[in-house]
Coordinates of all heavy atoms in Angstrom, one line a residue:
M260 N -15.6 43.0 95.0 CA -16.1 42.5 93.8 C -16.4 43.6 92.8 O -16.9 44.7 93.1 CB -17.4 41.7 94.0 CG -18.1 41.2 92.8 SD -19.5 40.2 93.1 CE -20.8 41.5 93.2
S261 N -16.0 43.4 91.6 CA -16.1 44.5 90.5 C -17.4 44.2 89.8 O -17.9 43.1 89.7 CB -15.0 44.4 89.5 OG -13.8 44.6 90.2
H262 N -17.9 45.3 89.2 CA -19.1 45.2 88.4 C -18.7 45.1 86.9 O -17.7 45.6 86.5 CB -20.0 46.4 88.6 CG -20.6 46.5 90.0 ND1 -21.6 45.7 90.4 CD2 -20.2 47.2 91.0 CE1 -21.9 45.9 91.6 NE2 -21.1 46.9 92.1
H263 N -19.6 44.4 86.1 CA -19.3 44.3 84.7 C -19.4 45.7 84.0 O -20.2 46.5 84.4 CB -20.3 43.3 84.0 CG -20.1 41.9 84.5 ND1 -19.1 41.1 84.0 CD2 -20.8 41.2 85.4 CE1 -19.2 39.9 84.6 NE2 -20.2 39.9 85.4
K264 N -18.7 45.9 83.0 CA -18.8 47.0 82.1 C -19.2 46.5 80.7 O -18.4 46.1 79.9 CB -17.5 47.8 82.0 CG -17.1 48.5 83.3 CD -15.9 49.4 83.1 CE -15.6 50.1 84.4 NZ -14.4 51.0 84.3
W265 N -20.5 46.5 80.5 CA -21.0 45.9 79.3 C -20.8 46.8 78.1 O -21.0 48.0 78.2 CB -22.5 45.6 79.4 CG -22.8 44.6 80.5 CD1 -23.5 44.9 81.7 CD2 -22.5 43.2 80.6 NE1 -23.6 43.7 82.5 CE2 -23.0 42.7 81.8 CE3 -21.8 42.3 79.7 CZ2 -22.8 41.4 82.2 CZ3 -21.6 41.0 80.1 CH2 -22.1 40.5 81.3
G266 N -20.4 46.2 77.0 CA -20.3 46.9 75.7 C -21.6 47.0 75.0 O -22.7 46.7 75.6
D267 N -21.6 47.5 73.8 CA -22.8 47.6 73.0 C -23.5 46.3 72.8 O -22.8 45.3 72.6 CB -22.5 48.3 71.7 CG -22.1 49.7 71.9 OD1 -22.5 50.4 72.9 OD2 -21.4 50.3 71.0
K268 N -24.8 46.3 72.8 CA -25.5 45.0 72.5 C -25.5 44.7 71.0 O -25.7 45.6 70.2 CB -27.0 45.2 73.0 CG -27.8 43.9 72.9 CD -29.2 44.2 73.3 CE -29.3 44.4 74.8 NZ -30.7 44.4 75.3
E269 N -25.2 43.4 70.7 CA -25.2 42.9 69.4 C -26.5 42.1 69.2 O -26.9 41.4 70.1 CB -24.0 42.1 69.1 CG -22.7 42.9 69.3 CD -21.5 41.9 69.2 OE1 -21.6 40.9 68.5 OE2 -20.5 42.2 69.9
R270 N -27.1 42.1 68.0 CA -28.3 41.3 67.8 C -28.1 40.4 66.5 O -28.4 40.8 65.4 CB -29.5 42.2 67.6 CG -30.8 41.4 67.6 CD -32.0 42.4 67.7 NE -32.1 43.1 69.0 CZ -32.6 42.6 70.1 NH1 -33.0 41.3 70.1 NH2 -32.7 43.3 71.2
P271 N -27.4 39.2 66.7 CA -27.1 38.4 65.6 C -28.4 37.8 65.0 O -28.3 37.3 63.8 CB -26.2 37.3 66.2 CG -26.5 37.3 67.6 CD -26.9 38.7 68.0
S272 N -29.5 37.7 65.7 CA -30.8 37.2 65.1 C -31.9 37.9 65.8 O -31.7 38.5 66.9 CB -30.8 35.7 65.2 OG -31.1 35.3 66.6
L273 N -33.1 37.6 65.4 CA -34.3 38.2 65.9 C -34.5 37.7 67.4 O -35.1 38.4 68.2 CB -35.5 37.9 65.1 CG -36.9 38.4 65.5 CD1 -36.8 40.0 65.5 CD2 -38.0 37.9 64.6
F274 N -34.1 36.5 67.7 CA -34.4 35.9 69.0 C -33.2 35.8 69.9 O -33.2 35.2 70.9 CB -35.0 34.5 68.8 CG -36.2 34.5 68.0 CD1 -36.3 34.1 66.7 CD2 -37.4 34.9 68.6 CE1 -37.5 34.1 66.0 CE2 -38.6 35.0 67.9 CZ -38.6 34.6 66.6
R275 N -32.1 36.5 69.5 CA -30.9 36.5 70.4 C -30.2 37.8 70.4 O -30.2 38.5 69.4 CB -29.8 35.5 69.9 CG -30.2 34.1 70.0 CD -29.1 33.1 69.7 NE -28.4 33.5 68.4 CZ -27.2 33.1 68.1 NH1 -26.5 32.4 68.9 NH2 -26.7 33.5 67.0
S276 N -29.7 38.2 71.5 CA -28.8 39.4 71.6 C -27.7 39.0 72.6 O -27.8 38.2 73.4 CB -29.6 40.6 72.1 OG -30.0 40.4 73.4
L277 N -26.6 39.7 72.4 CA -25.4 39.4 73.3 C -24.7 40.7 73.5 O -24.7 41.6 72.7 CB -24.5 38.3 72.7 CG -23.9 38.5 71.3 CD1 -22.5 39.0 71.4 CD2 -23.9 37.1 70.7
K278 N -24.0 40.7 74.7 CA -23.1 41.8 75.0 C -21.9 41.2 75.8 O -22.0 40.2 76.4 CB -23.8 42.9 75.8 CG -24.5 42.3 77.1 CD -25.3 43.4 77.7 CE -26.1 42.9 78.9 NZ -26.9 43.9 79.6
H279 N -20.8 41.9 75.6 CA -19.5 41.4 76.2 C -19.1 42.4 77.3 O -19.2 43.6 77.2 CB -18.4 41.4 75.1 CG -18.6 40.6 74.0 ND1 -18.0 39.3 73.8 CD2 -19.4 40.7 72.9 CE1 -18.4 38.8 72.7 NE2 -19.2 39.6 72.1
C280 N -18.6 41.8 78.4 CA -18.0 42.6 79.4 C -16.6 43.1 79.0 O -15.8 42.3 78.6 CB -17.9 41.9 80.8 SG -17.1 42.8 82.1
R281 N -16.4 44.4 79.0 CA -15.1 45.0 78.5 C -14.0 44.7 79.5 O -12.8 44.8 79.2 CB -15.2 46.5 78.4 CG -16.2 46.9 77.3 CD -16.2 48.4 77.2 NE -17.3 48.8 76.3 CZ -18.0 49.9 76.5 NH1 -17.7 50.7 77.5 NH2 -19.0 50.2 75.7
R282 N -14.3 44.3 80.7 CA -13.3 44.1 81.8 C -12.9 42.6 81.8 O -11.7 42.4 81.9 CB -13.9 44.5 83.1 CG -14.2 46.0 83.2 CD -14.7 46.4 84.5 NE -13.6 46.4 85.4 CZ -13.7 46.4 86.7 NH1 -14.8 46.4 87.2 NH2 -12.6 46.4 87.4
C283 N -13.8 41.7 81.8 CA -13.4 40.3 82.0 C -13.7 39.4 80.9 O -13.3 38.2 80.9 CB -14.1 39.7 83.3 SG -15.9 39.5 83.2
G284 N -14.4 39.9 79.9 CA -14.7 39.0 78.7 C -15.9 38.1 78.8 O -16.2 37.4 77.8
V285 N -16.7 38.1 79.9 CA -17.9 37.3 80.0 C -18.9 37.8 78.9 O -19.0 39.0 78.6 CB -18.5 37.4 81.4 CG1 -19.9 36.9 81.4 CG2 -17.6 36.6 82.4
I286 N -19.6 36.9 78.4 CA -20.6 37.2 77.4 C -22.0 36.9 78.0 O -22.2 35.9 78.6 CB -20.5 36.3 76.1 CG1 -19.1 36.6 75.5 CG2 -21.6 36.5 75.2 CD1 -18.8 35.6 74.4
C287 N -22.9 37.9 77.9 CA -24.3 37.7 78.3 C -25.1 37.5 77.1 O -25.2 38.3 76.2 CB -24.8 38.9 79.1 SG -26.5 38.9 79.5
L288 N -25.7 36.3 77.0 CA -26.5 35.9 75.8 C -28.0 35.9 76.3 O -28.4 35.2 77.2 CB -26.1 34.6 75.3 CG -27.0 34.0 74.2 CD1 -26.9 34.8 72.9 CD2 -26.5 32.5 73.9
S289 N -28.8 36.8 75.7 CA -30.2 36.8 76.0 C -31.0 36.1 74.9 O -30.7 36.4 73.7 CB -30.8 38.3 76.0 OG -30.2 39.0 77.1
R290 N -31.8 35.2 75.3 CA -32.5 34.4 74.3 C -34.0 34.5 74.4 O -34.5 34.6 75.6 CB -32.1 32.9 74.4 CG -30.6 32.8 74.2 CD -30.2 31.4 74.0 NE -30.9 30.9 72.8 CZ -30.5 29.7 72.3 NH1 -29.5 29.0 72.8 NH2 -31.2 29.2 71.3
H291 N -34.7 34.5 73.3 CA -36.2 34.6 73.3 C -36.7 33.5 72.4 O -36.2 33.3 71.4 CB -36.7 35.9 72.8 CG -36.1 37.1 73.5 ND1 -36.7 37.8 74.5 CD2 -34.9 37.7 73.3 CE1 -35.9 38.8 74.9 NE2 -34.8 38.8 74.2
E292 N -37.8 32.8 72.9 CA -38.4 31.8 72.0 C -39.9 31.9 72.3 O -40.4 32.4 73.3 CB -37.9 30.4 72.3 CG -36.5 30.1 71.9 CD -36.1 28.7 72.1 OE1 -36.9 27.9 72.7 OE2 -35.0 28.4 71.8
V293 N -40.7 31.4 71.3 CA -42.1 31.3 71.5 C -42.5 29.9 71.8 O -42.1 29.0 70.9 CB -42.9 31.9 70.3 CG1 -44.4 31.7 70.4 CG2 -42.5 33.3 70.0
G294 N -43.1 29.6 72.9 CA -43.4 28.2 73.3 C -44.6 27.7 72.5 O -45.2 28.4 71.7
E295 N -44.9 26.4 72.6 CA -46.0 25.8 71.9 C -47.3 26.4 72.2 O -48.2 26.4 71.4 CB -46.0 24.3 72.2 CG -44.8 23.6 71.6 CD -44.9 22.1 72.0 OE1 -45.9 21.6 72.5 OE2 -43.9 21.4 71.7
D296 N -47.4 27.0 73.4 CA -48.7 27.7 73.8 C -48.8 29.1 73.3 O -49.7 29.8 73.6 CB -48.8 27.6 75.4 CG -47.7 28.3 76.1 OD1 -46.7 28.8 75.4 OD2 -47.7 28.3 77.3
G297 N -47.7 29.6 72.6 CA -47.7 30.9 72.0 C -47.2 32.0 72.9 O -47.1 33.1 72.6
R298 N -46.8 31.6 74.1 CA -46.2 32.5 75.1 C -44.7 32.7 74.8 O -44.0 31.7 74.5 CB -46.4 32.1 76.5 CG -47.9 32.1 76.8 CD -48.2 31.5 78.2 NE -47.4 32.2 79.2 CZ -47.5 31.9 80.5 NH1 -48.3 30.9 80.9 NH2 -46.7 32.5 81.4
Q299 N -44.2 33.9 75.0 CA -42.8 34.2 74.9 C -42.0 33.7 76.1 O -42.5 33.9 77.2 CB -42.5 35.6 74.6 CG -42.8 36.1 73.2 CD -42.1 37.4 72.9 OE1 -41.3 37.9 73.7 NE2 -42.3 37.9 71.7
V300 N -40.9 33.1 75.9 CA -40.0 32.6 76.9 C -38.7 33.3 76.8 O -38.2 33.5 75.7 CB -39.8 31.1 76.8 CG1 -38.9 30.6 78.0 CG2 -41.1 30.3 76.8
H301 N -38.2 33.9 77.9 CA -36.9 34.6 77.9 C -36.0 34.1 78.9 O -36.4 33.8 80.0 CB -37.2 36.1 78.1 CG -36.0 37.0 78.2 ND1 -35.5 37.3 79.5 CD2 -35.1 37.4 77.3 CE1 -34.4 38.0 79.3 NE2 -34.2 38.1 78.0
W302 N -34.7 34.0 78.6 CA -33.7 33.6 79.6 C -32.4 34.2 79.2 O -32.2 34.6 78.0 CB -33.7 32.1 79.8 CG -33.1 31.3 78.7 CD1 -31.8 30.9 78.6 CD2 -33.8 30.8 77.5 NE1 -31.6 30.2 77.4 CE2 -32.9 30.1 76.7 CE3 -35.1 30.9 77.1 CZ2 -33.2 29.5 75.6 CZ3 -35.4 30.3 75.9 CH2 -34.5 29.7 75.1
K303 N -31.5 34.2 80.1 CA -30.1 34.7 79.9 C -29.1 33.6 80.2 O -29.3 32.8 81.2 CB -29.8 35.9 80.7 CG -30.6 37.1 80.3 CD -30.1 38.4 81.1 CE -30.9 39.6 80.5 NZ -30.5 40.8 81.2
E304 N -28.1 33.5 79.4 CA -27.0 32.6 79.6 C -25.7 33.4 79.7 O -25.6 34.4 79.0 CB -26.8 31.6 78.5 CG -28.0 30.7 78.3 CD -27.9 29.9 77.1 OE1 -26.9 30.0 76.3 OE2 -28.9 29.1 76.8
Y305 N -24.7 33.0 80.5 CA -23.5 33.7 80.7 C -22.4 32.7 80.3 O -22.4 31.6 80.7 CB -23.3 34.2 82.1 CG -24.3 35.2 82.5 CD1 -25.5 34.9 83.1 CD2 -24.1 36.6 82.1 CE1 -26.4 35.9 83.4 CE2 -25.0 37.5 82.4 CZ -26.2 37.2 83.1 OH -27.1 38.1 83.4
W306 N -21.4 33.2 79.5 CA -20.3 32.4 78.9 C -19.0 33.1 79.1 O -18.9 34.3 79.0 CB -20.6 32.2 77.4 CG -21.8 31.4 77.1 CD1 -23.1 31.8 77.1 CD2 -21.8 30.0 76.8 NE1 -23.9 30.8 76.7 CE2 -23.2 29.7 76.5 CE3 -20.9 29.0 76.7 CZ2 -23.6 28.4 76.2 CZ3 -21.3 27.7 76.3 CH2 -22.6 27.4 76.1
R307 N -18.0 32.3 79.4 CA -16.6 32.7 79.4 C -15.9 31.8 78.5 O -15.7 30.6 78.8 CB -16.0 32.7 80.8 CG -14.6 33.2 80.8 CD -14.0 33.3 82.2 NE -14.5 34.4 82.9 CZ -15.3 34.3 84.0 NH1 -15.5 33.2 84.6 NH2 -15.7 35.4 84.6
G308 N -15.5 32.3 77.3 CA -15.0 31.4 76.2 C -16.0 30.4 75.8 O -17.1 30.7 75.4
T309 N -15.7 29.1 75.9 CA -16.6 28.0 75.5 C -17.3 27.4 76.7 O -18.0 26.5 76.6 CB -15.9 26.9 74.7 OG1 -14.8 26.4 75.5 CG2 -15.3 27.5 73.4
E310 N -17.0 28.0 77.9 CA -17.6 27.5 79.1 C -18.9 28.3 79.5 O -18.8 29.5 79.7 CB -16.6 27.5 80.2 CG -17.1 27.1 81.6 CD -16.1 27.4 82.7 OE1 -15.1 28.0 82.5 OE2 -16.5 27.1 83.9
R311 N -20.0 27.5 79.7 CA -21.2 28.2 80.2 C -21.1 28.3 81.7 O -20.8 27.3 82.4 CB -22.4 27.4 79.8 CG -23.7 28.1 80.2 CD -24.9 27.4 79.7 NE -26.1 28.0 80.2 CZ -27.3 27.5 80.0 NH1 -27.5 26.4 79.3 NH2 -28.4 28.2 80.5
L312 N -21.3 29.5 82.2 CA -21.2 29.7 83.6 C -22.6 29.4 84.3 O -23.6 29.9 83.8 CB -20.8 31.2 83.9 CG -19.5 31.7 83.2 CD1 -19.3 33.1 83.5 CD2 -18.4 30.8 83.7
K313 N -22.5 28.7 85.4 CA -23.8 28.4 86.1 C -24.1 29.5 87.1 O -23.2 30.0 87.8 CB -23.6 27.1 86.9 CG -23.5 25.9 85.9 CD -23.4 24.6 86.7 CE -23.2 23.4 85.8 NZ -23.2 22.2 86.4
V314 N -25.3 30.0 87.1 CA -25.7 31.0 88.0 C -27.1 30.6 88.6 O -27.8 29.8 88.0 CB -25.9 32.4 87.3 CG1 -24.6 32.9 86.8 CG2 -26.8 32.3 86.1
D315 N -27.3 31.2 89.8 CA -28.6 30.9 90.5 C -29.6 31.9 90.1 O -29.4 33.1 90.3 CB -28.4 30.9 92.0 CG -27.5 29.8 92.5 OD1 -27.6 28.7 91.9 OD2 -26.8 30.1 93.5
G316 N -30.7 31.4 89.5 CA -31.8 32.3 89.1 C -31.4 33.4 88.2 O -30.8 33.2 87.2
D317 N -31.7 34.7 88.6 CA -31.4 35.8 87.7 C -30.1 36.5 88.1 O -29.8 37.6 87.7 CB -32.6 36.9 87.8 CG -33.8 36.4 87.1 OD1 -33.7 35.5 86.2 OD2 -34.9 36.9 87.5
R318 N -29.3 35.8 88.9 CA -28.0 36.4 89.3 C -27.1 36.5 88.1 O -27.1 35.8 87.2 CB -27.4 35.6 90.4 CG -28.3 35.6 91.7 CD -27.6 34.9 92.8 NE -26.5 35.7 93.1 CZ -26.0 35.9 94.3 NH1 -26.6 35.4 95.3 NH2 -25.0 36.7 94.5
V319 N -26.2 37.5 88.3 CA -25.1 37.7 87.3 C -23.8 37.2 87.9 O -23.5 37.5 89.0 CB -25.0 39.2 86.9 CG1 -23.9 39.5 85.9 CG2 -26.3 39.7 86.4
P320 N -23.0 36.5 87.1 CA -21.7 36.0 87.6 C -20.8 37.2 88.0 O -20.9 38.2 87.3 CB -21.1 35.1 86.5 CG -21.8 35.6 85.3 CD -23.2 36.0 85.7
A321 N -19.9 37.0 88.9 CA -19.0 38.1 89.3 C -18.1 38.4 88.1 O -17.7 37.6 87.3 CB -18.2 37.6 90.5
C322 N -17.7 39.7 88.1 CA -16.7 40.2 87.1 C -15.3 39.9 87.7 O -14.9 40.6 88.7 CB -16.9 41.6 86.9 SG -15.8 42.3 85.6
E323 N -14.6 38.9 87.2 CA -13.3 38.5 87.8 C -12.2 38.9 86.8 O -12.1 38.3 85.7 CB -13.3 37.0 88.0 CG -14.4 36.6 89.0 CD -14.4 35.1 89.2 OE1 -13.8 34.4 88.5 OE2 -15.2 34.7 90.0
L324 N -11.4 39.9 87.2 CA -10.3 40.3 86.4 C -9.1 39.5 86.7 O -8.9 39.1 87.8 CB -10.0 41.8 86.7 CG -11.1 42.8 86.4 CD1 -10.6 44.2 86.8 CD2 -11.4 42.8 84.9
S325 N -8.2 39.3 85.7 CA -7.0 38.7 85.9 C -6.0 39.7 86.6 O -6.3 40.9 86.6 CB -6.3 38.3 84.6 OG -6.0 39.4 83.8
I326 N -4.9 39.3 87.1 CA -4.0 40.2 87.8 C -3.5 41.3 86.8 O -3.4 42.5 87.1 CB -2.8 39.4 88.4 CG1 -3.3 38.5 89.5 CG2 -1.7 40.4 88.9 CD1 -2.3 37.6 90.0
E327 N -3.3 40.9 85.6 CA -2.8 41.8 84.5 C -3.9 42.9 84.3 O -3.5 44.1 84.1 CB -2.4 41.1 83.2 CG -1.3 40.2 83.3 CD -1.6 38.8 83.9 OE1 -2.8 38.5 83.9 OE2 -0.7 38.1 84.3
Q328 N -5.1 42.5 84.2 CA -6.2 43.4 83.9 C -6.4 44.4 85.1 O -6.6 45.6 84.9 CB -7.5 42.7 83.6 CG -7.5 41.9 82.3 CD -8.7 41.0 82.2 OE1 -9.0 40.3 83.2 NE2 -9.3 41.0 81.1
E329 N -6.3 43.9 86.3 CA -6.4 44.8 87.5 C -5.3 45.8 87.5 O -5.5 47.0 87.8 CB -6.3 43.9 88.8 CG -7.6 43.1 89.0 CD -7.5 42.3 90.3 OE1 -6.6 42.6 91.1 OE2 -8.4 41.5 90.5
M330 N -4.1 45.4 87.1 CA -2.9 46.4 87.1 C -3.2 47.4 86.0 O -2.9 48.6 86.2 CB -1.6 45.6 86.9 CG -1.2 44.8 88.1 SD 0.3 43.8 87.9 CE 1.5 45.2 88.0
E331 N -3.7 47.0 84.9 CA -4.0 48.0 83.8 C -5.0 49.0 84.2 O -4.9 50.2 84.0 CB -4.4 47.3 82.5 CG -3.4 46.6 81.8 CD -3.9 45.9 80.5 OE1 -5.0 46.2 80.1 OE2 -3.2 45.0 80.0
E332 N -6.1 48.5 84.9 CA -7.1 49.5 85.4 C -6.6 50.4 86.4 O -7.1 51.5 86.5 CB -8.3 48.7 85.8 CG -9.1 48.0 84.7 CD -10.6 48.0 85.0 OE1 -11.0 48.3 86.1 OE2 -11.3 47.6 84.1
A333 N -5.7 49.9 87.3 CA -5.1 50.8 88.3 C -4.2 51.9 87.8 O -4.0 52.9 88.4 CB -4.4 49.9 89.4
A334 N -3.6 51.6 86.6 CA -2.7 52.6 86.1 C -3.3 53.8 85.5 O -4.4 53.9 85.3 CB -1.9 51.9 85.0

């Protein structure tokens, strides 16, 4: 299993940041909100294209390269 190679973090708004894996294209979206009780809530979502990836707890989805990407990295 390969590990993600995260690019620079982008901050499109005060309550969101995102970073892209340079190897497989997965996007890690970190979100922050303030709940009705005034406490901050934080969570991460992982996306591949328009598909949200399901993960258990704080786990990170595997970095899955296509055959073409694996060959490029091996060269």
Side-chain angles (χ1 to χ4, degrees):
M260 178 176 83
S261 299
H262 295 283
H263 292 283
K264 290 188 178 180
W265 299 113
D267 294 334
K268 188 180 287 187
E269 301 171 30
R270 192 169 292 280
S272 73
L273 182 61
F274 299 104
R275 291 189 314 160
S276 65
L277 57 96
K278 55 188 177 180
H279 300 259
C280 176
R281 294 181 192 146
R282 298 180 72 196
C283 70
V285 164
I286 298 170
C287 175
L288 174 66
S289 295
R290 301 192 59 169
H291 307 265
E292 290 184 359
V293 178
E295 291 179 9
D296 59 358
R298 294 174 54 178
Q299 282 199 3
V300 181
H301 173 259
W302 70 95
K303 291 185 179 184
E304 299 173 359
Y305 295 93
W306 295 80
R307 182 174 285 119
T309 58
E310 175 190 2
R311 183 174 176 185
L312 305 176
K313 293 184 180 183
V314 293
D315 293 327
D317 290 336
R318 297 188 63 142
V319 177
C322 183
E323 299 174 355
L324 298 177
S325 68
I326 293 171
E327 294 83 14
Q328 290 168 316
E329 286 182 12
M330 291 178 73
E331 283 180 19
E332 287 213 352

